[in-house]
Amino acid sequence: MGETVVARRLDALLGAAFVVTWSSGFIGAELGTRGAPASGLLAWRFIIAAAVLGGWLAWRRRRIPRRDLVLHVVIGTLAQGGYLYGVFLAAEHGVVAGINNLITALQPLVAVTLAVPILGERLTRRQFAGFAAGLAGVALVVGGDVRGGAPAWAYLLPFAAMLSLVGATFLERRARPAAALPEALAVQALVSAVLFAGVAGADGALVPPADPVFWTAVAILVVLAMFGGYGLYWVNVRRTGVARVSALLYLTPPTTMLWGWIMFGSTLTPLSLLGVLVCAAAVTTALHNPTPRPTAPRPSEVRQAQTTAPPESTHA
């Protein structure tokens, strides 16, 4: 019982950290693309991240099995290349953070709908209602920030980004590569660095600006969004499953709104504050899961342990 309580508290802590750090990526995108193309910003994000993670990998002398290497190349291309380039390119073409968040907030509904037949995760009607309500909450949160100005095709970019992240998540859950998270992030960062350096070079955007705002955005994207948000995304997926992490994504628009208020002086409208409450209620509903944790032993295993272990034993 004690171990279960500790595990749940750890899950809650990891989930909260994920929400805060994942939300920072939208702020870094908006801040960085004010003075530089999206491709250049992403290239330097991953060049720095790849240098750090690649150096760590070389120092540890870790060998990655060929199967895991190929899988993480594909996962990195989808989750880093496809998702981030779609979000950042949308910001570059005038899609404001609110709409970017609103469209990518479709990810939880898409993910949990597919998680049932593909991954076999169980989802109650109450949980599904929570996911649907979460989307309504997101709409309220960003309602004050939904304005035009971007070309019509630009709004397809965050939608494609969302589908790319869903694809990467399901590939990782189905294939279950054995490489540890640092090794996985190192491979994905290296692949993304090559990908975005090539794109930035073709755009003539590889030379970084001297503006300190640009490097502030890069620091946010590397330290908070990459090592924090993206790393914690996979930690939470592995610990608690796709459905729970998808529910937590509904808390990122309200958190992004607070980030925007702190950094850019964005207005907190009553409609947005109402949306925060709706999102919180929706996530609480969606996270209500009567089923055991994915890593919990089967009942038959527990009964067998109880019959074979001494009375004072605490076998799980």
Side-chain angles (χ1 to χ4, degrees):
M1 181 64 69
E3 292 181 0
T4 301
V5 172
V6 171
R8 288 178 178 174
R9 289 178 178 175
L10 180 58
D11 289 343
L13 181 62
L14 290 171
F18 159 68
V19 169
V20 172
T21 53
W22 183 273
S23 303
S24 68
F26 292 92
I27 300 302
E30 184 168 334
L31 183 67
T33 54
R34 289 181 174 184
S39 58
L41 181 62
L42 285 167
W44 282 100
R45 164 184 174 158
F46 286 109
I47 288 172
I48 294 174
V52 173
L53 290 169
W56 180 90
L57 198 63
W59 176 66
R60 297 287 292 178
R61 297 182 179 180
R62 295 289 181 89
R63 296 186 62 181
I64 302 175
R66 181 176 299 178
R67 173 182 178 272
D68 288 359
L69 185 64
V70 172
L71 282 171
H72 283 299
V73 167
V74 177
I75 291 170
T77 301
L78 290 172
Q80 302 277 29
Y83 177 74
L84 290 175
Y85 195 51
V87 170
F88 280 58
L89 197 60
E92 180 182 336
H93 285 281
V95 180
V96 295
I99 296 181
N100 235 347
N101 248 331
L102 179 60
I103 296 175
T104 54
L106 292 170
Q107 194 269 357
L109 275 177
V110 175
V112 298
T113 300
L114 295 176
V116 175
I118 295 178
L119 299 181
E121 294 192 9
R122 297 176 60 184
L123 190 69
T124 65
R125 291 182 180 180
R126 174 177 175 175
Q127 288 176 297
F128 195 84
F131 281 101
L135 185 59
V138 171
L140 290 173
V141 168
V142 303
D145 197 22
V146 175
R147 57 185 184 271
W153 60 267
Y155 295 96
L156 296 175
L157 293 171
F159 184 78
M162 176 271 296
L163 293 178
S164 187
L165 179 60
V166 171
T169 303
F170 279 92
L171 175 61
E172 199 276 344
R173 286 293 79 200
R174 290 283 289 182
R176 295 186 180 274
L181 184 61
E183 285 86 347
L185 291 180
V187 173
Q188 294 180 31
L190 288 166
V191 170
S192 300
V194 172
L195 174 65
F196 286 117
V199 174
D203 292 342
L206 189 56
V207 177
D211 187 356
V213 174
F214 173 84
W215 292 108
T216 300
V218 170
I220 291 173
L221 293 171
V222 172
V223 177
L224 294 179
M226 173 72 180
F227 297 156
Y230 188 71
L232 287 169
Y233 177 83
W234 293 113
V235 169
N236 281 278
V237 165
R238 291 181 180 185
R239 283 182 61 87
T240 60
V242 174
R244 183 180 184 277
V245 178
S246 296
L248 291 174
L249 284 172
Y250 278 138
L251 295 178
T252 59
T255 309
T256 301
M257 180 186 69
L258 294 176
W259 273 101
W261 175 65
I262 293 170
M263 295 194 64
F264 305 133
S266 303
T267 303
L268 301 179
T269 66
L271 189 65
S272 295
L273 295 175
L274 175 62
V276 172
L277 297 178
V278 173
C279 283
V283 170
T284 301
T285 302
L287 292 184
H288 176 75
N289 187 3
T291 59
R293 289 167 48 85
T295 55
R298 296 182 177 88
S300 58
E301 295 172 339
V302 175
R303 288 194 297 269
Q304 183 179 1
Q306 291 173 342
T307 56
T308 57
E312 69 275 13
S313 175
T314 57
H315 288 199

